Amino acid sequence: MMQVLFYYMAAVTVVSSVLTVTLKQPVYNVLALLTMFFHVAGLYVLLNAEFLAVVQIIVYAGAILVLYLFVLMLLNLRSDARHMHRQWPFAVLILGSVAAMLVGAFAGGGFGGEIGQYSTAYIDSLGGDTQAIGLTLYTDYLLPFEVASLVLLVAMVGAIVLTKKGLVDDQVED
Amino acid sequence: MTTDFIPSNYLPVLIFFMIAAAFGFVTIIMGKLVRPQNPYREKALPYECGAPPISDARQPFPMRYYIIAMLFVLFDIEAVFMYPWAVVFNDIGIYGLVEMGLFILVLVVGYVYAWGKGALEWD
């Protein structure tokens, strides 16, 4: 059952990510991307990363996809524009060889190395993976957490500075 | 893939998605099988429920949509950080409260900046 679900999620993820770059209508590309995000969230659930799965849906499928849609409408792309760059065979070649290399590496027995402290049983004893993330993030990884707030601040200021001209122009037009 | 974990809590979610997908397919296919199909030109016209399109629907959108979406992404991520904080709040106590206070303080600076620059104004 788990294997069947894993292969379903993995197959749909691969197919929809290929469709994301090959479909001609820009809105269809975004919908294929949405399908991919949901199935990656399904993969996270299968890997006992429920918090990550929910974040995947809230942030990627909820917020970032909206951003993509607005960028798409901002750019006003035409569906009849040439949608494949003329160098795409090179991209397929390079990515295909990287993918073959990864498959070859993982076919030999996965990641290897020692198994860490966070086994399934240990995470269950903490009460779930959200608790495990919280306990680690807000004690051991305090500095990266606070740096994350600065990164968000920079992104916020950057977006406003870059679009300020657009905001002013819109106000003049109105 | 090592599968010593079985997400049995998610079985209802899986059943829910399967029923939702099946409902969509079944209603469309049933409708196609049951309904009479006799289209003619007058029936295909959008009378009383719309107007014929006069131009392309792909109009460039104003920049404001983009900036609102961008701010939404950022505050959405801020909210995501609060979920694991809230579930372990009793374990980390006042220490956690102070660090989340710092986190929110930095983002409030951004919020005040966005507000001051008029990025939240619509007109």
Side-chain angles (χ1 to χ4, degrees):
Chain A
M1 182 64 183
M2 291 288 289
Q3 293 285 325
V4 171
L5 281 174
F6 171 76
Y7 283 118
Y8 165 72
M9 298 287 180
V12 176
T13 303
V14 170
V15 169
S16 56
S17 45
V18 169
L19 287 179
T20 302
V21 290
T22 53
L23 283 175
K24 280 187 178 169
Q25 293 272 357
V27 177
Y28 291 175
N29 295 57
V30 175
L31 286 177
L33 193 65
L34 179 68
T35 312
M36 196 202 76
F37 284 155
F38 274 113
H39 285 84
V40 170
L43 282 177
Y44 287 147
V45 169
L46 294 182
L47 290 170
N48 193 16
E50 301 160 52
F51 180 70
L52 204 56
V54 174
V55 168
Q56 169 83 13
I57 288 175
I58 292 176
V59 174
Y60 280 85
I64 291 186
L65 204 83
V66 171
L67 195 66
Y68 284 174
L69 271 179
F70 282 144
V71 168
L72 210 148
M73 289 166 173
L74 202 68
L75 293 176
N76 192 21
L77 289 172
R78 296 279 157 186
S79 55
D80 55 1
R82 192 178 56 184
H83 71 294
M84 295 287 260
H85 195 274
R86 66 192 167 80
Q87 290 177 341
W88 72 269
F90 297 102
V92 169
L93 189 71
I94 292 168
L95 289 176
S97 43
V98 170
M101 191 185 75
L102 287 175
V103 167
F106 290 136
F111 291 93
E114 288 181 27
I115 293 171
Q117 178 195 2
Y118 285 87
S119 63
T120 311
Y122 181 63
I123 288 173
D124 280 344
S125 75
L126 290 175
D129 70 321
T130 313
Q131 277 87 346
I133 289 171
L135 284 175
T136 324
L137 183 63
Y138 301 111
T139 52
D140 296 346
Y141 295 95
L142 175 59
L143 185 66
F145 167 64
E146 298 293 350
V147 169
S149 74
L150 286 175
V151 173
L152 290 177
L153 178 68
V154 168
M156 212 179 289
V157 173
I160 291 167
V161 168
L162 288 175
T163 54
K164 201 177 67 182
K165 196 166 162 294
L167 290 174
V168 173
D169 285 350
D170 282 349
Q171 279 160 5
V172 171
E173 275 174 31
D174 290 343
Chain B
M1 191 176 79
T2 54
T3 52
D4 56 337
F5 169 74
I6 295 181
S8 52
N9 289 338
Y10 285 83
L11 191 63
V13 178
L14 182 69
I15 294 171
F16 176 79
F17 276 126
M18 287 168 111
I19 290 175
F23 182 77
F25 280 111
V26 167
T27 35
I28 289 174
I29 291 167
M30 280 298 285
K32 202 164 183 88
L33 290 177
V34 168
R35 71 176 172 233
Q37 198 170 13
N38 181 23
Y40 47 91
R41 197 176 156 275
E42 282 74 22
K43 207 156 84 178
L45 286 174
Y47 67 100
E48 285 190 357
C49 53
I54 50 169
S55 68
D56 194 1
R58 296 257 161 66
Q59 299 287 330
F61 270 50
M63 206 61 146
R64 287 196 210 97
Y65 287 97
Y66 174 76
I67 187 116
I68 293 288
M70 188 77 194
L71 292 175
F72 171 62
V73 171
L74 294 168
F75 287 112
D76 204 28
I77 293 169
E78 182 198 357
V80 160
F81 274 108
M82 287 183 192
Y83 290 111
W85 175 72
V87 292
V88 297
F89 184 72
N90 286 333
D91 295 326
I92 53 180
I94 194 80
Y95 183 64
L97 188 65
V98 170
E99 63 189 79
M100 185 49 87
L102 276 172
F103 182 79
I104 291 175
L105 187 72
V106 173
L107 284 166
V108 163
V109 172
Y111 181 63
V112 170
Y113 178 78
W115 198 341
K117 283 285 175 187
L120 302 175
E121 304 288 327
W122 199 254
D123 281 316

